[in-house]
Amino acid sequence: MQFFGRLVNTFSGVTNLFSNPFRVKEVAVADYTSSDRVREEGQLILFQNTPNRTWDCVLVYPRNSQSGFRLFQLELEADALVNFHQYSSQLGKQEMVRVLLLCNARCNIMGPNGYPIYSAMKFSQKGCAEMIISMDSSQIHSKDPRYGASPLHWAKNAEMARMLLKRGCNVNSTSSAGNTALHVAVMRNRFDCAIVLLTHGANADARGEHGNTPLHLAMSKDNVEMIKALIVFGAEVDTPNDFGETPTFLASKIGRLVTRKAILTLLRTVGAEYCFPPIHGVPAEQGSAAPHHPFSLERAQPPPISLNNLELQDLMHISRARKPAFILGSMRDEKRTHDHLLCLDGGGVKGLIIIQLLIAIEKASGVATKDLFDWVAGTSTGGILALAILHSKSMAYMRGMYFRMKDEVFRGSRPYESGPLEEFLKREFGEHTKMTDVRKPKVMLTGTLSDRQPAELHLFRNYDAPETVREPRFNQNVNLRPPAQPSDQLVWRAARSSGAAPTYFRPNGRFLDGGLLANNPTLDAMTEIHEYNQDLIRKGQANKVKKLSIVVSLGTGRSPQVPVTCVDVFRPSNPWELAKTVFGAKELGKMVVDCCTDPDGRAVDRARAWCEMVGIQYFRLNPQLGTDIMLDEVSDTVLVNALWETEVYIYEHREEFQKLIQLLLSP
């Protein structure tokens, strides 16, 4: 029924309608042919029932004007007018829908806009939509008669889109014209709604009406953030539509000069190519050439793809490069003669930057991260991603999961409740999964044992810890119990322990965040691998030892360097000096924490120097960010901008990525 979507609230006494079964009931409109229509509001009619000397309010069926519900029957005209006004002002309200459903109103009748769910979506009434779905869940998979669109196409905000997606609505369902819900969100300039769709798996490069992708449509909306989001989530910048027009070409046709220059510059930073659409009757080479255009980038034919000559196609962004024609299987153990190590920094929600870097590596290589590396080390958010790699979760899935997870976990004020984070980890890795349930690649997560002084670094492993011959740092203390063995260690607890950042979350038992001692776990991972190999040699298993040949260290973004005015802490003699001391103490405390947890600087220099000394290829990939981003940032716009800066970084360092891919794919 069309008007269902306009039902929102109702007055508090609506439940009293059921106190008398002779007042609320289904009636025939024909019974009121001899009665006067005193008031009429849409489907709601107030009759003066002369034979019964009453005033009756009837709600007429939209599809069957001969039947309806009598909502009340009152003897006094004044009372009837007051109640009618209350009902008419409450049309579209949630309680009204509940009343109708309790009166056995059918909610599976097709109206002009489709089923009732479409009206609920049209007016963004979440409560009404939920009640309708609870009565007829099949409506979320229906198509409206006008556009052939799903209810998701009608979602006007993030809340409504999220509600449908949680109930199983197909995020990539198409309308009669071939458009997805993402196309509609972009056309309507609904950024929040588009982000929800993208983070639930919407295809950012889906071709809709006339072959237009969402990025084609975004070019006319003057919404830079929308364009960034689409490209960050995989939209191709040089895909032509049915008319041969690329998004860049459409951007060049924008009338407003400032907007046109801004968008063209934006696209060029990630390698967008400008070309004219083909002209009828003119060879494609001539029709698409634009030698004099300032954004023209000459495109040469790519060489054949091979392991010895792997090119990143033209100047296209590596993270969106076309996949090679070959798909390599796992080369671990049997074919590779050397080991590869992947190290992932800590950084809270900025782990999205690591995800974006890994997506670029996977797309350029055509191989899953799990099959590119033999060892994976992670701290905090890097530890969660290390476990995701171990359990074969795609990075595209993890990107969407991080966007969704942040709103669940970072709720309220610090320190946050641990429950949502723990539920997320259990849901992703299983409540009873042990670290040793999956053995390859070898994974280590850093944690800080805080039940002793000084605190110690602990590694959560999915393999048995190597036995060392060096003298222990401290004498054994019977009051300190040893950590659980890998075969007894629950995966979700290991992830929770590695990410127990002080002031953000409470400790997980005796464990604090591994970032306190190893926010960049590279050196600790290399030390662990060396000790592991030495243990194999001592046990007579030297044939199992593989030399480390590549170390890839991924960061969560470098914050800009800013000046500090004062770190002086002294005994104050007046209020001015007291304020100066307090400010200095605050800045000094922040500096101490930053120095202890800094994943860059000398930590990177030492790792690079060590690798160079022993002939190991070392790659440190960590984009410079324009602003300082907190570990608990929840703004979609801020995070999309961080991923955009990562995209630009990947394009600018495409030669380094190319070298890395060649080495990773070498046997």
Side-chain angles (χ1 to χ4, degrees), residues 127-140:
C128 298
E130 288 176 330
M131 282 188 287
I132 292 169
I133 293 172
S134 67
M135 296 296 292
D136 183 11
S137 61
S138 65
Q139 290 191 29
I140 63 173

Side-chain angles (χ1 to χ4, degrees), residues 410-518:
F410 301 130
R411 184 176 295 175
S413 57
R414 292 164 50 183
Y416 300 107
E417 291 291 332
S418 302
L421 175 60
E422 292 176 0
E423 287 303 313
F424 159 73
L425 295 173
K426 291 176 185 177
R427 187 169 64 246
E428 292 303 311
F429 302 117
E431 189 171 356
H432 305 292
T433 308
K434 303 292 180 60
M435 286 294 291
T436 53
D437 286 353
V438 183
R439 294 261 182 184
K440 294 180 181 181
K442 294 183 178 67
V443 166
M444 62 187 91
L445 279 64
T446 64
T448 301
L449 275 169
S450 60
D451 63 344
R452 59 204 67 189
Q453 185 69 31
E456 287 187 21
L457 179 69
H458 174 72
L459 297 181
F460 297 94
R461 308 168 173 89
N462 68 337
Y463 57 92
D464 293 331
E467 297 177 6
T468 58
V469 294
R470 68 173 184 268
E471 184 178 349
R473 291 176 59 197
F474 306 101
N475 293 330
Q476 187 174 6
N477 189 326
V478 295
N479 295 321
L480 298 176
R481 57 188 175 88
Q485 294 298 312
S487 58
D488 299 322
Q489 180 65 59
L490 293 173
V491 169
W492 77 265
R493 284 193 180 277
R496 170 71 177 86
S497 299
S498 183
T503 75
Y504 288 90
F505 297 102
R506 296 183 63 185
N508 186 39
R510 52 182 171 159
F511 288 103
L512 286 174
D513 195 293
L516 295 176
L517 297 177

